């Protein structure tokens, strides 16, 4: 285990006016893995990262970086930031504008008291690695955003840290550049096998780059899973709504099963769903997640819905927006509005009568939260 | 795992030590520099025996000094003079300064860049030189203007007499105009032009807009500028010393000086005067802070410049151009001309065909061979460079604590660093003098005592400048350095300080210039051999060596201009984050 956080809590302010920035977060990151903390602003993800770095002092909890306890409030251990085995890239890059690229990257090695020749070798190697080999003597303000980003990355990597921390590093880049840097950061991380904790509010970054994604909300870690896991099987309503688009249907478990599926009574009618979990109590209210792309919509056939198929209803298109590759469609079923994402081959318009069907496999009950 | 825990614990202590050691030291220095003199001043004003007397440190306190001061006619005469002097000067300087500021900032008057430059460049000329030059112009005996007017209009007696309250008011006004101008220019610059443009679109003319929109909008700033000017004038020493003292017209600052330095010195009485002046200026500062909501705008008036649309004055613009140039020339050009002129003549006389034949560089040659003047130059250089460097480093550390840490009590530190703004120079000088007459640190009679007083005096402005710079600096620049395994000390000196260079340099130069100009503290605390430039000029004036004095003045002016140019160049080249 390369990063381990146990019951991390950070309060800003004191006494009555104190605000929980992080409460009781626990997680582990395997050696060489890429964890992303995802969440809206103010959710505590940056505070968690800053606690890892040593830029904030937690009020409670333990942090272990590659086997070394760097924070333990119960044992009174607190290792200051400049002793921790980390490298960090800041949101603003924080490239010192009065130094050249070379001096920026050499700075941490100088702090560590490494010999001159060795510094030159390592800085050059590192700049080569991030693709900035020719810009050594450039002053920082004369760099583009993307180049500054690479300098920041080189500066964080040059000390060969155990853990790399990145705080929204791509949020100041334009869309095209962001896409390129996403791939590049991931490539570097794989190549160096460096354990990485990445903070972002951008779900595309989170899903595309990470081995694991942690979703935070109001200081709590509400989801922690693989990218596929957090998208397909979120545990919480917040997690379901924050990543991707979610249709949430409220219902009550009926305790019955139909054709091997479990069933619930909802606003749509009887909803059949697959649930790997064992016996849940009947009569409990529950939210069901249906992703828009899991909803099948077809023009209404006169034969009427086949009654032997589960989750098949009749509806009416209330809105259809053509998006190029996709058709974003809103369908009203017994007064419930469902968003559906269809391919452009569907030619539907508002007012069309349609049949709606959903595979029970793709309906996920959420934990009440 | 537990084996590693121990090592991390010890490393932790080493890291914090450095930071706390430096910051703790800075706090102690600041406390010492501000609170100790203030304590001695208050304490001393209640003592009837002079400092150094065996009974001085006893707790026998009395109000006798105050009773003596407030019971004398001299005190009330000085009070009346001080208030008339300060009120008249502030009003006049405010009117002229505002006019010039509006012309250069908000109108399309031609040559406004030049007017701005001429109005500001005056600041680098020591006040004592300006005062002397006006005596040379308006003295009944030797004043050039008096002679010219007498000749032109065939007058029996000289029309102007500089040795009067009116003369003092005139010269001090000229001295304060640049400050009024700079403060008002800042006010005009930071005003949102849309508000005025809205008025113009409502079929309101330029002058009506000024009266009905611009003026009311600027009213709080105007009042605060007026208070600042008043504060500055009530503390002035140059004009009261050069003109007021020979004429027998005394104000608070000259009263303190005379009672504390005449033989035998009356320390108690001086203390009562100094306390009165201190309370008055503390009251003015509190008024100012209430008016503006903060002390931040005291120096750093630059702010976000809108570069507002200039008013089109039509053909009036030529009138404003000529009148501004005449004003700037009348208040500065004339004085500068007289100094240069007398530096070139073996003895002082009005310009005439005969006198042109005598023009030469004799005085400069004499200056070069005059150990007293060269020594004064050296003293001023040491004082200026030394206090500027020390004060700016202190200010940087104090501002760091105030702006960048969440330490408890940092607001108090901020107030402490800013409080010298309310301590008049003469009062501070008296307080520092008493401190080292009592505390057995052997600085009395050396350059050190002046240096220590300057460190206190220039804390206020320098911390304002540095706080403003720190506020512009993103926290991440500092954090990035810590993440890069740098110690706090390395972070401060290798990353933060270089990034703050523009502000640091601006403050540094500001202090050097003011240390070169400073007269009241130096006059109180100098000793034979430790005279800085301003005191040397005062001495030369009293000794009647006008030629050498003027040459020295020109040299000082040249040095100051050089420094200002250098600082401009530096901030242009390295101006990383200048707003």
């Amino acid at each position: 285990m390369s990063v381990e956080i146990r019951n991390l809590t950070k309060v800003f302010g004191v006494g009555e006016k104190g605000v929980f920035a992080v409460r009781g977060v626990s997680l582990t990151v395997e050696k060489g893995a890429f964890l992303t903390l995802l969440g809206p602003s103010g959710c505590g993800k940056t505070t968690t990262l800053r606690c890892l770095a040593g830029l904030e002092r937690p009020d409670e909890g333990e942090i272990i970086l590659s086997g070394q306890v760097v924070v333990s409030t119960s044992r009174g251990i607190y290792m200051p930031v400049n002793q921790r085995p980390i490298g960090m890239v800041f949101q603003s890059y924080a490239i010192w504008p009065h130094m050249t690229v070379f001096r920026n990257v050499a700075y941490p090695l100088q702090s560590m008291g490494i010999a001159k020749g060795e510094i030159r070798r390592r800085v050059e190697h590192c700049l080569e690695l991030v693709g900035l080999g020719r810009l050594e003597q450039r002053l920082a303000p004369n760099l583009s955003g993307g180049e500054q980003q690479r300098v920041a990355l080189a500066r964080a990597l040059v000390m060969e840290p155990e853990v790399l921390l990145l705080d929204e590093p791509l949020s100041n880049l334009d869309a095209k550049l962001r896409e390129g840097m996403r791939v590049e950061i991931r490539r570097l991380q794989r190549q160096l096998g460096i354990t990485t904790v990445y903070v972002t509010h951008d779900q595309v970054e989170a899903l595309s780059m990470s081995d694991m994604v942690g979703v935070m909300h109001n200081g709590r870690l509400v989801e922690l899973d693989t990218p596929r896991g957090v998208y397909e099987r979120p545990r919480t309503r917040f997690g379901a709504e924050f990543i991707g688009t979610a249709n949430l249907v409220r219902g009550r478990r009926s305790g019955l099963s139909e054709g091997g599926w479990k069933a619930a009574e909802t606003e749509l009618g009887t909803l059949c769903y697959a649930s790997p979990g064992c016996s849940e109590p009947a009569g409990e209210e529950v939210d069901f997640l249906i992703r828009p792309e899991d909803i099948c919509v077809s023009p209404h056939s006169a034969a009427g819905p086949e009654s032997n198929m589960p989750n098949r209803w009749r509806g009416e298109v209330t809105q259809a927006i053509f998006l190029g590759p996709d058709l974003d469609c809103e369908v009203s079923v017994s007064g419930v509005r469902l968003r559906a994402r269809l391919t452009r081959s569907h030619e539907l318009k508002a007012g069309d009568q349609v049949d709606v069907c959903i595979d029970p496999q793709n309906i996920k009950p959420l934990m009440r939260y | 795992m537990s084996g590693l825990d121990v090592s991390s614990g010890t490393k932790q202590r080493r890291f914090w030590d450095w930071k706390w050691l430096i910051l703790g030291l800075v706090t102690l220095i600041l406390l010492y520099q501000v609170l100790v003199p203030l304590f001695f001043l208050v304490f001393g004003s209640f003592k009837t025996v002079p400092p150094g007397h065996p009974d001085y440190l006893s707790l026998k306190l009395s109000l006798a000094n105050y009773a003596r001061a407030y019971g004398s006619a001299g005190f009330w005469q000085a009070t009346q003079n001080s208030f008339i002097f300060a009120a008249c000067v502030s009003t006049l300087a405010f009117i002229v300064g505002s006019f010039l500021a509006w012309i250069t900032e908000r109108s399309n008057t031609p040559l406004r860049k030049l007017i701005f430059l001429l109005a500001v460049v005056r600041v680098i000329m020591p006040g004592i030189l300006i005062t002397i030059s006006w005596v040379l112009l308006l003295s009944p005996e030797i004043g050039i203007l008096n002679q010219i007017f007498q000749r032109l209009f065939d007058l029996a007696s000289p029309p102007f007499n500089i040795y009067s309250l009116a003369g003092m008011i005139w010269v001090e006004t000229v001295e304060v105009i640049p400050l009024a101008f700079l403060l008002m220019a800042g006010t005009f610059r930071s005003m949102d032009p849309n508000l005025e443009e809205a008025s113009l679109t409502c079929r309101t003319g330029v002058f009506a807009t000024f009266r009905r929109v611009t003026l009311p909008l600027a009213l709080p700033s105007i009042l605060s500028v007026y208070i600042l000017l008043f504060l500055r004038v009530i503390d002035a020493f140059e004009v009261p010393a050069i003109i007021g003292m020979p004429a027998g017209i005394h104000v608070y600052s000259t009263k303190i000086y005379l009672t504390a330095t005449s033989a035998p010195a009356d320390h108690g009485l001086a203390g009562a005067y100094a306390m009165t002046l201190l309370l008055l200026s503390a009251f003015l500062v509190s008024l100012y802070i209430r008016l503006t909501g903060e002390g931040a705008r005291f120096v750093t008036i630059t702010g976000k410049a809108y570069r507002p649309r200039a008013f089109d004055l039509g053909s009036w613009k030529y009138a404003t151009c000529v009148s501004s140039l005449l004003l700037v020339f009348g208040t500065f050009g004339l004085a500068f001309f007289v100094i240069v002129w007398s530096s070139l003549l073996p003895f002082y006389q009005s310009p005439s065909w005969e006198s042109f034949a005598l023009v030469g560089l004799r005085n400069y040659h004499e200056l070069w061979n005059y150990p007293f003047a060269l020594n004064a130059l050296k003293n001023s250089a040491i004082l200026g460079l030394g206090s500027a460097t020390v004060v700016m480093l202190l200010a940087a550390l104090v501002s760091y604590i105030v702006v960048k840490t969440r330490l408890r009590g940092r607001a108090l530190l901020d107030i402490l660093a800013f409080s010298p703004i309310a301590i008049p120079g003469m009062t501070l000088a008296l307080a520092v003098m008493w401190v080292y007459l009592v505390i057995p640190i052997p600085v009395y009679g050396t350059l050190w005592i002046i240096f220590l007083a300057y460190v206190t005096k220039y804390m206020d402005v320098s911390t304002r400048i540095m706080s403003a710079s720190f506020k512009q600096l993103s926290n991440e620049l500092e954090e990035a350095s810590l993440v890069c395994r740098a110690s706090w000390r390395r972070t401060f000196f290798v990353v933060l300080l270089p990034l703050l260079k523009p502000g640091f340099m601006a403050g540094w130069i500001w202090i050097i210039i003011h240390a070169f100009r400073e007269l009241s503290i130096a006059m109180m605390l100098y000793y034979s051999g430790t005279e800085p430039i301003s005191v040397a000029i005062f001495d030369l004036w009293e000794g009647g060596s006008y030629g050498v004095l003027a040459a020295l003045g020109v040299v000082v002016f040249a040095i100051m201009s050089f420094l200002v140019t250098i600082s401009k160049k530096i901030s242009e080249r390295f101006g990383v984050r200048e707003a």
Side-chain angles (χ1 to χ4, degrees), chain B residues 95-109:
Chain B
I95 293 169
V96 177
S98 307
F99 172 73
L100 286 175
W102 195 80
I103 294 298
T104 54
E105 289 296 323
R106 307 303 309 276
S107 79
N108 64 341
T109 303

Side-chain angles (χ1 to χ4, degrees), chain A residues 83-141:
Chain A
Q83 314 279 334
R84 296 192 187 186
I86 53 155
M88 184 160 175
V89 176
F90 291 84
Q91 182 170 12
S92 67
Y93 317 138
I95 298 299
W96 302 303
H98 60 303
M99 297 183 188
T100 60
V101 168
F102 183 89
R103 282 195 59 209
N104 261 286
V105 180
Y107 185 90
L109 300 179
Q110 286 164 351
S111 299
M112 292 159 77
I114 285 168
K116 264 213 164 116
E118 172 75 0
I119 289 180
R120 172 149 291 279
R121 195 189 60 75
R122 279 170 70 174
V123 170
E124 277 169 2
H125 171 75
C126 217
L127 285 174
E128 214 54 62
L129 203 66
V130 298
L132 281 182
R134 298 163 316 283
L135 296 180
E136 275 175 28
Q137 292 314 319
R138 198 79 77 79
L139 266 174

